[in-house]
């Protein structure tokens, strides 16, 4: 792990892997060092705003192989598996579409980090046969609520936007509401399950 200063009172921790970032994030959340204003996890980084010296000292003594275990919040989303790429995902995985749905709904996912758009969570835990590349040519319009996958992640588009993930289906859940508290349905560390509905 390597630290880089960011402005007057922030620093970016470069991590060697997603698991290392998640361990650092969990360690800081559990200890709640004084002065920390915000933590922003990324795929291989953790931005610490405020309390940087305390966090650096904490992580210098931490065991990244055994981060503290908290009580994650669980979210279940109802999904209609009728996505444009469901057949292609099944074909590339050598499975039936029913088997793809069974694999996707049978896993428990963890929100590793958020980004791309407000409310968009990058969920880890995708079964190996479903780990497929992004589309070669992204769509200019992906409807809000679309459930997709790309690489090692699955996720849900919180609003209409361009996107290159392979679409499995859609949910009517609201993932981001600026008037809610908190506004985003997903937070790093949350557990997510998908449930197939017709």
């Amino acid at each position: 792990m390597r630290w880089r200063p960011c402005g007057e009172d922030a620093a970016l921790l470069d991590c060697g892997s997603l698991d290392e970032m998640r361990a650092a994030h969990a360690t800081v959340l559990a200890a709640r060092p004084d002065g920390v204003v915000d933590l922003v996890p990324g795929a291989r980084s953790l931005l610490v705003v405020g309390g940087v010296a305390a966090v650096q000292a904490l992580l210098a003594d931490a065991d990244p192989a055994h981060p503290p275990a908290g009580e994650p919040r669980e979210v279940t989303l109802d999904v209609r598996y009728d996505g444009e790429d469901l057949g292609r995902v099944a074909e590339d995985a050598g499975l039936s579409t029913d088997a793809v749905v069974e694999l996707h709904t049978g896993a428990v996912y963890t929100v590793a980090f958020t980004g791309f758009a407000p409310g968009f969570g990058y969920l880890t835990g995708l079964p190996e046969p479903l780990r497929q590349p992004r589309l070669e040519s992204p769509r200019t319009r992906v409807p809000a609520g679309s459930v997709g996958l790309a690489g090692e992640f699955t996720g849900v588009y919180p609003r209409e936007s361009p996107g290159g993930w392979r679409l499995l289906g859609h949910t009517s859940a609201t993932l981001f509401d600026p008037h809610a508290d908190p506004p985003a349905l997903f937070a790093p560390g949350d557990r997510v399950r998908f449930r197939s509905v017709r």
Side-chain angles (χ1 to χ4, degrees):
M1 295 191 286
R2 182 173 65 95
W3 288 95
R4 290 187 285 157
C6 291
E8 292 183 6
D9 196 26
L12 187 70
L13 176 63
D14 291 319
C15 303
S17 67
L18 178 60
D19 286 340
E20 194 173 84
M21 181 284 297
R22 288 168 61 184
H25 186 248
T27 300
V28 178
L29 280 181
R32 301 185 184 277
D34 288 340
V36 175
V37 176
D38 199 8
L39 296 173
V40 183
R44 304 284 185 275
S45 65
L46 178 64
L47 178 67
V48 178
V49 182
V52 172
V55 172
Q56 288 173 327
L58 172 69
L59 293 180
D61 294 331
D63 179 2
H66 300 93
E71 281 296 318
R73 188 175 64 104
E74 286 214 5
V75 177
T76 299
L77 298 180
D78 290 336
V79 177
R80 290 183 61 190
Y81 284 89
D82 55 0
E84 294 178 49
D85 302 311
L86 180 60
R88 180 178 177 179
V89 169
E91 183 179 341
D92 287 356
L95 301 169
S96 68
T97 55
D98 287 344
V100 168
V101 173
E102 191 173 315
L103 274 176
H104 196 253
T105 57
V108 179
Y109 302 94
T110 301
V111 181
F113 57 98
T114 58
F116 168 63
F120 190 96
Y122 289 80
L123 313 181
T124 59
L126 189 66
E128 192 66 42
L130 301 184
R131 296 182 181 191
Q132 299 183 11
R134 297 168 55 94
L135 299 174
E136 290 180 15
S137 179
R139 294 179 173 91
T140 57
R141 179 186 169 275
V142 176
S146 293
V147 177
L149 55 84
E152 64 185 298
F153 301 109
T154 189
V156 184
Y157 287 81
R159 63 180 186 205
E160 183 180 309
S161 67
W165 288 30
R166 297 181 183 210
L167 304 181
L168 300 179
H170 69 275
T171 180
S172 59
T174 300
L175 273 77
F176 186 78
D177 177 357
H179 305 294
D181 184 22
L185 179 62
F186 293 153
D190 287 350
R191 297 281 169 81
V192 180
R193 297 175 187 268
F194 294 101
R195 181 169 52 205
S196 177
V197 296
R198 299 204 178 274

